[in-house]
Amino acid sequence: MSTRSTPILSVLTEDLLIRINEKLVQDSDRKTWRLICKELHRVDSLTRKTLRVLHVEFLLTLLKNYTNLHTLDLSVCPRIDDGTISLVLHQVDHSIWARNLKCLNLSRANGLKFAGLEMLVGVCKVLESVDVSYCFGFGDREAAAISGCGGLRELRMDKCLGVSDVGLAKIVVGCGRLERLSLKWCMEISDLGVELLCKKCLELKFLDVSYLKVTSESLRSIASLPKLEDLAMVGCPFVNDVGLQFLENGCPLLQKIDVARCDCVSSYGLSSLIGGHSGLLHIDAGHCFSEVSPSFVKCTQKLKNLNTIIIDGGRVSDTIFQTISSNCKSLIEIGLSKCEGVTNMGIIQLVSGCVNLKTINLTCCRSIADSAIFAIANSCRNLLCLKLESCNMITEKSLEQLGLHCLLLEVLDLTDCCGINDRGLELLSRCSRLLCLKLGLCTNISDKGLFYIASNCSELHELDLYRCKNIGDGGLAALSSGCKKLRKLNLSYCIEVTDKGMKSLGYLEELSDFELRGLDKITSVGLTALVTRCKRLTYLDLKHCEKIDDSGFQLNLSYCAITDMTLCMLMGNLTRLQDVDLVHLTNVTVEGFELVLRACCVRIKKIKLVAALSFLLSSEVQGILHARGCKIRWD
């Protein structure tokens, strides 16, 4: 008697399938899940809350399938325009897909204007968060359309260059419940607009006015916000100590202040601010004043819960570190990048009291040696991020201590640390949780050291090997088998790498950002083997790869010595490519460039071309690129 086994999926209830689906975190796992059968695809459609659209032509189908969305991300779909929105609203029942939509990301959607925005706002009744950052053509009319979102809590308008005080006024009148607002680089907004904002939006908790031409009068207005917790005003050249004194007695809930690169702000003004806010948690005064005064640091003793202090670019002394160590026991992050006066003794004093530090930035602190790293490793056992670029005096002994004591380390920057060698990487590889490792210009490492990293650091997402001249195909083979999660890789000027290494890297299916400038031993054959497997590539830099030409191509690519035909194949097959350099392609004709630019304008965001082409390309093509939000960089 024969019996047929029952497929396990047929006995699982919908509730169980939904619970299983919710456990899948990685996009690749969710994709595999929904491709198994129609029932699992249906379950995914029912439970999916977030949708990121890559190609506008699929938008209609996707909105029909996914009806319970909370977040819709169109930021990588630059072809979106008013006509697309009109078509979607006519062909898909918006009462279904838009009913629960709370977050809408339209960053870089330059084709979308007032009419399209107005239609979207009209159907998405419960929107709470909108992002229109880098929509350079957005102006006051578009701001007026956004003002129809009466329930809006969060709005990002970074670099909306056409929005003025008039547009901001419309938003604050219509969206009085705003809690988070970013106006970074909105250069037409002045003190007048900020004043009205602060009168109407009393629920604001986060405000970013970085790089605006506002004065200290804006800080007088901001000081009246009763619930403000986080204020960013990076690079505001007309804000001075008087403005910070306005804040001293205002914003009673202020926890985070960022005045980096505010040239007219001094230690005195920041000390005044600190005096009125004992609850501050985060201070960023990077590149703000030339010398960090003892009086400023002494003020921090009032901040019992301060967890972050960034003083990049300032002159410091050992006394400063001793004061911080005594006063800031809760510190988890300190930024000392390019600070003059940082010594080993100063760091030893710092970490003796600040044992909870998780992020330490010592970039370009050239006096730092092994003794300082020993102290960090022994005191800061929960360290997650350590930046040591251009700290040339550290050796393998420092990496031994990190490997022994800092097992939670996730980010380590050793760029231009010439004392690092293969033995050091072997010792460092005990830090098995490393996500990002930067070894650029570390000329004493080789495939042997890379083998240790690849064998033990399987979680690695980003690796920089810029100008590591002794890295070759053997090291890349180890990477391809040990670091399957690698997403970002820089091999520029690793001159021993050949096509064999490229073929190995083809097995890194998650690879998305790849730089390989100046590799004169790779050809089109190796590159084709790479790109036919690495389907997630979004950025590829092949400058000065002079042996890459038309030969060996079956599906896609190349730059360099290619002709019109291969350039068209490149741009046609790399469908996720959004940022590309097309300079010095001497074998490509003007007609070839015209054809390629017309074909790729719907998805390319940035393109670099030789300046001479600005006079040769038709105004029609340049106009299309501009209208689609593509930024042309002329070389």
Side-chain angles (χ1 to χ4, degrees), residues 494-548:
C494 295
I495 55 177
E496 296 302 316
V497 173
T498 72
D499 286 345
K500 183 178 180 182
M502 292 296 101
K503 292 176 182 177
S504 297
L505 294 178
Y507 292 96
L508 296 176
E509 296 182 357
E510 299 295 318
L511 193 63
S512 60
D513 291 60
F514 196 12
E515 295 186 41
L516 37 147
R517 293 186 177 194
L519 302 192
D520 58 7
K521 293 183 180 180
I522 64 170
T523 69
S524 305
V525 174
L527 197 54
T528 302
L530 170 78
V531 300
T532 51
R533 288 179 175 269
C534 297
K535 302 297 186 182
R536 294 181 178 269
L537 271 177
T538 58
Y539 178 81
L540 186 62
D541 188 340
L542 297 166
K543 186 176 182 179
H544 295 311
C545 294
E546 297 176 357
K547 289 187 179 178
I548 296 177

Side-chain angles (χ1 to χ4, degrees), residues 128-131 151-156 177-181:
E128 295 181 357
S129 174
V130 173
D131 186 346
L152 207 59
R153 301 295 181 91
E154 179 177 8
L155 176 61
R156 296 189 64 89
R177 298 167 64 188
L178 274 175
E179 296 179 3
R180 300 179 63 84
L181 177 62

Side-chain angles (χ1 to χ4, degrees), residues 435-439 450 453 460-465 479 483 486 488-491:
L435 300 177
C436 173
L437 178 60
K438 296 189 176 185
L439 299 168
L450 199 56
I453 296 296
L460 207 61
H461 287 176
E462 179 178 350
L463 179 63
D464 188 346
L465 298 169
L479 275 183
C483 299
L486 205 61
K488 189 173 183 178
L489 178 62
N490 189 346
L491 293 177

Side-chain angles (χ1 to χ4, degrees), residues 330-572:
S330 299
L331 211 61
I332 61 173
E333 178 179 357
I334 188 164
L336 300 167
S337 173
K338 300 182 180 179
C339 283
E340 294 184 26
V342 178
T343 65
N344 294 310
M345 181 55 66
I347 295 301
I348 292 170
Q349 290 175 330
L350 172 71
V351 299
S352 66
C354 301
V355 297
N356 296 313
L357 279 168
K358 294 184 178 181
T359 298
I360 304 174
N361 188 350
L362 296 172
T363 297
C364 294
C365 295
R366 301 180 189 277
S367 298
I368 292 301
D370 289 336
S371 58
I373 308 305
F374 287 7
I376 290 173
N378 280 280
S379 297
C380 307
R381 299 298 178 94
N382 294 319
L383 193 67
L384 297 178
C385 175
L386 180 60
K387 297 184 179 181
L388 299 170
E389 179 179 349
S390 298
C391 295
N392 290 310
M393 297 176 67
I394 66 172
T395 70
E396 64 187 57
K397 296 177 182 179
S398 290
L399 301 193
E400 180 179 18
Q401 293 300 308
L402 292 174
L404 285 172
H405 303 301
C406 299
L407 300 181
L408 301 180
L409 194 63
E410 295 179 353
V411 177
L412 180 61
D413 188 347
L414 297 169
T415 302
D416 197 20
C417 293
C418 56
I420 302 304
N421 55 26
D422 291 338
R423 173 60 178 161
L425 294 187
E426 179 182 8
L427 298 167
L428 176 66
S429 67
R430 297 169 183 166
C431 298
S432 59
R433 297 191 184 187
L434 272 176
L435 300 177
C436 173
L437 178 60
K438 296 189 176 185
L439 299 168
L441 298 169
C442 293
T443 53
N444 292 319
I445 65 172
S446 68
D447 289 346
K448 183 179 179 181
L450 199 56
F451 174 80
Y452 293 122
I453 296 296
S455 299
N456 298 313
C457 303
S458 59
E459 299 297 314
L460 207 61
H461 287 176
E462 179 178 350
L463 179 63
D464 188 346
L465 298 169
Y466 176 78
R467 290 191 184 274
C468 294
K469 60 183 180 180
N470 297 319
I471 296 296
D473 297 338
L476 301 189
L479 275 183
S480 67
S481 61
C483 299
K484 294 292 187 182
K485 297 180 181 180
L486 205 61
R487 298 171 187 170
K488 189 173 183 178
L489 178 62
N490 189 346
L491 293 177
S492 292
Y493 304 102
C494 295
I495 55 177
E496 296 302 316
V497 173
T498 72
D499 286 345
K500 183 178 180 182
M502 292 296 101
K503 292 176 182 177
S504 297
L505 294 178
Y507 292 96
L508 296 176
E509 296 182 357
E510 299 295 318
L511 193 63
S512 60
D513 291 60
F514 196 12
E515 295 186 41
L516 37 147
R517 293 186 177 194
L519 302 192
D520 58 7
K521 293 183 180 180
I522 64 170
T523 69
S524 305
V525 174
L527 197 54
T528 302
L530 170 78
V531 300
T532 51
R533 288 179 175 269
C534 297
K535 302 297 186 182
R536 294 181 178 269
L537 271 177
T538 58
Y539 178 81
L540 186 62
D541 188 340
L542 297 166
K543 186 176 182 179
H544 295 311
C545 294
E546 297 176 357
K547 289 187 179 178
I548 296 177
D549 53 27
D550 287 353
S551 62
F553 282 95
Q554 298 178 358
L555 293 176
N556 345 36
L557 7 175
S558 185
Y559 299 79
C560 306
I562 59 175
T563 62
D564 293 359
M565 177 190 70
T566 303
L567 183 60
C568 290
M569 293 172 66
L570 161 68
M571 304 304 288

Side-chain angles (χ1 to χ4, degrees), residues 44-106:
D44 181 66
S45 299
L46 287 173
T47 58
R48 187 160 186 165
K49 304 298 183 184
T50 301
L51 180 63
R52 190 168 188 246
V53 181
L54 297 177
H55 301 287
V56 67
E57 54 267 30
F58 300 138
L59 183 58
L60 287 171
T61 303
L62 290 170
L63 292 179
K64 288 178 181 177
N65 290 339
Y66 298 104
T67 57
N68 290 311
L69 293 176
H70 284 186
T71 301
L72 178 60
D73 185 349
L74 301 174
S75 63
V76 290
C77 197
R79 195 177 168 186
I80 291 290
D81 56 20
D82 293 354
T84 304
I85 299 302
S86 178
L87 182 65
V88 167
L89 297 183
H90 279 89
Q91 296 197 16
V92 185
D93 187 356
H94 58 76
S95 65
I96 297 177
W97 67 265
R99 62 186 174 183
N100 297 319
L101 196 66
K102 294 185 178 181
C103 301
L104 183 60
N105 190 342
L106 299 170

